[in-house]
Amino acid sequence: MESIKEEVIKLSDDIMRHTPVENMTYAQKVALPKIGQPIHTVVISSVNERDTGDEVVTKIRNAIDAKSHGIRVDRLRKGKEQKVIIGCKNKEDIDKIVNTIRETDTTLNVEEKKNKDPLVILKEVLTINTDEDIIKAIKTQNSRLVAEIQEADWRISVKYRKRCRNSFVNDVVLQVSPKLWKTLTEESKIHIDLQRVPVIDQSPLIQCSRCLAYGHGRRLCKENQDVCSHCSGPHLRKDCPMWMAGSAPACHNCQVAKKDNYDHNTFDKNCPIRMKWDKLARSSVAYC
């Protein structure tokens, strides 16, 4: 117990050094993740399984006549099994598409996709706290903060935990309702047990630690060889001779994309390839 008390005191000192949003410099605020407007999505397929993706697109164009109805489509792509995915920033536009297709073309199936709840990460929470402990603490120890959250908007669950160098603590990733996400991220720190911990927006982007690509994790990776996030060599960063020698990094994904500037680590949050994928991942999240 004595060692845990010492860790709590040390952690409290460390946490107090985190800069609140209102005290950040302009450069620090600019570095914060950019939360874009969510994309409302529908998946459209043909009743006739022989129809190609191009034929489904043609049917959609004929059915909705976007130019005449003033419908604004922000994203259109062909998916697997001849399905077409359409995305609109405006909910009214996506509703027009759904209603118009259902009224004018019975040969098309329309499936509306619901946007996911956003994620937040609680930094350096004592590992002794269970998932139930953390959720209870958010509601009871921060009651004034969450007092205006209605029961219908009280959605919160622990998605996963990330190990820290200090074994006494870990980072906890939560999935929460949009209103709870807004409340927590604006507050920037909340009380959990004997701590006041930072709470930060967490990107939904998944990046593989083996091949360094996006959209899947190491467990589902089909590659057999690790790729170094520092030099792009066939090894892990911890075994990288260039990293140990202090040489400049070379981003694997930027090199694959033939970018002129790739002098950064592949996990760097400012990597242009990562930022592009991050924006795409966030487009299916309901932040408001």
Side-chain angles (χ1 to χ4, degrees), residues 145-205:
L145 176 65
V146 300
E148 295 185 5
I149 303 294
Q150 301 298 316
E151 194 63 35
D153 294 313
W154 187 259
R155 296 194 301 278
I156 180 170
S157 62
V158 176
K159 295 297 291 181
Y160 58 91
R161 298 184 181 223
K162 298 168 71 174
R163 288 182 294 179
C164 299
R165 290 184 180 180
N166 187 332
S167 61
F168 281 96
V169 297
N170 55 24
D171 294 342
V172 183
V173 176
L174 307 173
Q175 188 164 36
V176 298
S177 68
K179 288 189 177 179
L180 192 51
W181 172 86
K182 185 174 186 292
T183 299
L184 295 176
T185 53
E186 286 182 351
E187 184 67 13
S188 76
K189 289 182 182 178
I190 61 173
H191 294 279
I192 300 291
D193 196 10
L194 300 179
Q195 301 171 272
R196 186 168 179 242
V197 303
V199 53
I200 306 168
D201 166 71
Q202 171 69 18
S203 172
L205 181 63

Side-chain angles (χ1 to χ4, degrees), residues 24-286:
M24 284 184 177
T25 64
Y26 174 76
Q28 288 173 320
K29 288 181 180 179
V30 169
L32 290 173
K34 305 297 187 296
I35 309 302
Q37 187 177 356
I39 296 287
H40 303 279
T41 307
V42 290
V43 179
I44 304 171
S45 59
S46 176
V47 172
N48 186 350
E49 295 181 354
R50 294 183 178 180
D51 283 347
T52 65
D54 288 331
E55 288 172 330
V56 174
V57 171
T58 299
K59 284 187 175 184
I60 294 169
R61 292 186 72 252
N62 292 334
I64 65 174
D65 192 7
K67 289 177 287 187
S68 298
H69 291 90
I71 296 173
R72 294 161 295 183
V73 174
D74 293 279
R75 181 177 301 152
L76 184 148
R77 66 180 178 87
K78 288 180 284 187
K80 296 179 180 179
E81 299 175 349
Q82 292 76 51
K83 292 180 179 180
V84 175
I85 297 91
I86 291 181
C88 300
K89 290 181 180 178
N90 193 312
K91 185 65 165 62
E92 292 178 2
D93 286 324
I94 211 74
D95 288 342
K96 280 184 183 179
I97 291 172
V98 172
N99 294 332
T100 303
I101 288 178
R102 285 175 177 168
E103 290 172 2
T104 60
D105 195 333
T106 57
T107 67
L108 292 175
N109 293 319
V110 184
E111 180 187 357
E112 195 166 359
K113 291 291 184 181
K114 187 177 179 181
N115 285 335
K116 297 175 287 187
D117 281 339
L119 303 175
V120 295
I121 183 168
L122 306 181
K123 302 295 290 185
E124 299 184 343
V125 178
L126 287 169
T127 53
I128 196 170
N129 287 290
T130 64
D131 293 355
E132 291 75 17
D133 290 336
I134 293 169
I135 294 173
K136 182 179 179 181
I138 292 173
K139 199 166 190 176
T140 58
Q141 290 184 268
N142 306 274
S143 55
R144 291 183 182 178
L145 176 65
V146 300
E148 295 185 5
I149 303 294
Q150 301 298 316
E151 194 63 35
D153 294 313
W154 187 259
R155 296 194 301 278
I156 180 170
S157 62
V158 176
K159 295 297 291 181
Y160 58 91
R161 298 184 181 223
K162 298 168 71 174
R163 288 182 294 179
C164 299
R165 290 184 180 180
N166 187 332
S167 61
F168 281 96
V169 297
N170 55 24
D171 294 342
V172 183
V173 176
L174 307 173
Q175 188 164 36
V176 298
S177 68
K179 288 189 177 179
L180 192 51
W181 172 86
K182 185 174 186 292
T183 299
L184 295 176
T185 53
E186 286 182 351
E187 184 67 13
S188 76
K189 289 182 182 178
I190 61 173
H191 294 279
I192 300 291
D193 196 10
L194 300 179
Q195 301 171 272
R196 186 168 179 242
V197 303
V199 53
I200 306 168
D201 166 71
Q202 171 69 18
S203 172
L205 181 63
I206 299 173
Q207 184 173 10
C208 180
S209 60
R210 170 171 287 166
C211 72
L212 307 181
Y214 298 101
H216 68 270
R218 189 180 186 90
R219 187 170 60 87
L220 299 177
C221 185
K222 296 179 180 180
E223 300 296 330
N224 297 318
Q225 181 67 59
D226 288 312
V227 178
C228 178
S229 64
H230 185 79
C231 76
S232 302
H235 50 255
L236 294 173
R237 191 190 70 163
K238 66 182 181 67
D239 302 319
C240 177
M242 292 183 66
W243 177 64
M244 289 186 280
S247 300
C251 174
H252 173 71
N253 290 329
C254 282
Q255 290 183 82
V256 171
K258 297 181 179 179
K259 293 285 185 181
D260 294 331
N261 183 12
Y262 51 81
D263 57 348
H264 53 269
N265 187 282
T266 310
F267 290 116
D268 191 327
K269 290 184 178 179
N270 293 317
C271 168
I273 303 298
R274 180 182 176 85
M275 290 171 72
K276 182 188 75 173
W277 279 89
D278 180 72
K279 184 178 180 181
L280 182 64
R282 289 181 185 277
S283 68
S284 62
V285 176

